[in-house]
């Protein structure tokens, strides 16, 4: 039990991030539009973020699933979630119709639920980064 | 702790590098730096008021430049889907309903959305001279509580 629960959390969190990263990576142009809509990145750098961020998500998620560099990958995922929480908060305050959370193919706009979702992911990732043994 | 931070940094750097390399070989490649936003002249744009008048009188055709999923989630009543990212696939479906002398109103969503601007250039090049962009059209149309509808293109 003591080992099973962290393992399951690792598997779930990793899978979510692999999926989220892959969906964004599949359509970089659409994801770049979403990034631009948030208006948080200097305009010329929007594409650079849209090209790299999904692959960081994907890499960290995959490592977490595989159980390689568990604490470091959980730390990266926690960091990404802090960024996502900030971005979604801004979107909600400004009333933007954007999420981009799971790529543009899953059209969904940011809602307070997205914040809850990200907060749960953040808690899980932080806990893994803290507790896992390498 | 230091080792973990180094590993985390490595994940970020290597992940980013993979993303840039994959993009290099991808058929869906986009430039690393986003080209500056297109500047449109005043007569390339249409105000929400003018657009509403044209919409009510049925004098203009509205074209939705956003991705098909966004169109299905909700669009201006009567608007046709012409996503800029898949222009070549969608244009043949839309073309029979257009004429080069028609007024075409293009929209996407968000102040920063470039899709309708790019669509304008494509359509102008094809001879559709009376084409205008309704900037931030979807959001403004909805804020003004003008009629919208969901569903895919018939």
């Amino acid at each position: 039990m003591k080992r099973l629960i962290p393992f399951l959390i690792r598997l779930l969190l990793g899978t979510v991030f692999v999926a989220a990263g892959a969906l964004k990576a599949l359509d970089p142009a659409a994801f770049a539009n979403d990034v631009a809509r948030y208006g948080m990145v200097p305009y010329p750098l929007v594409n650079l973020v849209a090209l790299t961020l999904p692959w960081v998500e994907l890499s960290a998620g995959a490592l977490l699933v595989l159980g390689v560099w568990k604490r470091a990958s959980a730390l990266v995922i926690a960091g990404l979630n802090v960024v996502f929480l900030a971005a979604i908060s801004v979107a909600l305050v400004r009333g933007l119709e954007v999420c981009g959370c799971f790529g543009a193919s899953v059209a969904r706009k940011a809602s307070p639920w997205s914040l809850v979702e990200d907060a749960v992911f953040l808690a899980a990732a932080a806990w893994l980064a803290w507790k896992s043994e390498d | 702790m230091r080792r973990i931070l180094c590993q985390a940094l490595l994940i970020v750097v290597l992940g980013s590098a993979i993303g840039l390399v994959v993009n290099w070989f991808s058929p869906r490649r986009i430039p690393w730096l986003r080209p500056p936003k297109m500047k449109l002249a005043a007569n390339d744009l249409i105000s929400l008021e003018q657009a509403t008048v044209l919409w009510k009188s049925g004098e203009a055709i509205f074209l939705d430049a956003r991705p098909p999923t966004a169109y299905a989630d909700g669009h201006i009543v009567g608007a046709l889907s012409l996503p800029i990212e898949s222009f070549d696939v969608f244009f043949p479906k839309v073309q029979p309903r257009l004429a080069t002398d028609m007024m075409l109103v293009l929209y996407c969503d968000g102040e920063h959305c470039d899709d309708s601007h790019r669509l304008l250039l494509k359509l102008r090049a094809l001879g559709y001279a009376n084409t205008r962009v309704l900037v931030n059209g979807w959001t403004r149309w909805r804020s003004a509580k003008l009629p919208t509808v969901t569903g895919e293109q018939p």
Side-chain angles (χ1 to χ4, degrees):
Chain A
M1 219 38 197
K2 236 180 147 188
R3 284 185 167 209
L4 187 67
I5 290 171
F7 172 74
L8 285 178
I9 293 179
R10 202 157 58 73
L11 217 59
L12 273 170
L13 191 65
T15 311
V16 167
F17 269 73
V18 168
L23 285 168
K24 289 174 197 151
L26 278 174
D27 197 345
F31 182 55
N33 281 341
D34 283 337
V35 175
R37 269 202 244 169
Y38 276 101
M40 291 174 71
V41 181
Y43 196 76
L45 301 183
V46 160
N47 282 9
L48 215 51
V49 171
L51 286 174
T52 52
L53 187 128
W55 288 90
V56 175
E57 274 184 89
L58 227 162
S59 314
L63 289 174
L64 203 58
V65 169
L66 295 173
V68 181
W69 289 4
K70 284 178 269 191
R71 298 183 74 179
S73 47
L75 192 65
V76 171
I77 288 180
L80 287 170
N81 268 304
V82 171
V83 175
F84 297 160
L85 277 170
I88 291 171
S89 307
V90 169
L92 287 175
V93 169
R94 293 198 195 152
L96 303 180
E97 258 203 44
V98 62
C99 189
C101 310
F102 291 89
S105 55
V106 184
R108 209 179 57 146
K109 58 179 182 181
S111 69
W113 275 115
S114 324
L115 284 180
V116 175
E117 205 175 85
D118 274 342
V120 171
F121 293 155
L122 174 58
W127 185 73
L128 285 177
W130 186 253
K131 280 284 174 193
S132 298
E133 40 210 77
D134 248 342
Chain B
M1 196 60 209
R2 213 185 134 154
R3 188 171 50 90
I4 291 166
L5 283 176
C6 283
Q7 289 173 349
L9 192 67
L10 210 58
I11 295 174
V12 173
V13 171
L14 285 180
S16 302
I18 295 172
L20 295 177
V21 171
V22 168
N23 179 62
W24 197 259
F25 295 101
S26 162
R28 293 183 163 185
R29 179 169 48 207
I30 60 172
W32 285 9
L33 294 178
R34 199 166 176 85
K37 246 193 278 186
M38 268 171 259
K39 288 219 167 66
L40 293 181
N43 63 347
D44 294 332
L45 305 174
I46 189 166
S47 69
L48 185 61
E49 293 71 30
Q50 285 172 298
T52 313
V53 171
L54 289 174
W55 181 82
K56 284 186 176 148
S57 66
E59 281 170 78
I61 290 207
F62 282 63
L63 295 174
D64 190 319
R66 299 172 304 152
T69 45
Y71 176 90
D73 272 359
H75 54 268
I76 295 177
V77 172
L80 305 175
S81 178
L82 187 49
I84 182 71
E85 307 300 350
S86 348
F87 183 86
D88 298 336
V89 178
F90 278 76
F91 186 65
K93 299 185 200 169
V94 173
Q95 195 178 15
R97 300 168 74 168
L98 307 180
T100 46
D101 57 348
M102 269 179 189
M103 173 62 94
L104 305 178
V105 176
L106 319 179
Y107 70 92
C108 54
D109 186 31
E111 290 293 340
H112 298 281
C113 177
D114 230 8
D115 292 353
S116 37
H117 298 49
R118 285 155 60 203
L119 190 56
L120 177 112
L121 294 187
K122 281 219 165 182
L123 290 170
R124 286 269 170 88
L126 290 169
Y128 298 89
N130 296 324
T131 304
R132 303 280 185 278
V133 168
L134 178 60
V135 174
N136 198 8
W138 174 239
T139 297
R140 285 165 69 212
W141 190 268
R142 284 180 64 246
S143 310
K145 306 254 185 300
L146 290 158
T148 62
V149 65
T150 58
E152 280 173 30
Q153 183 143 282

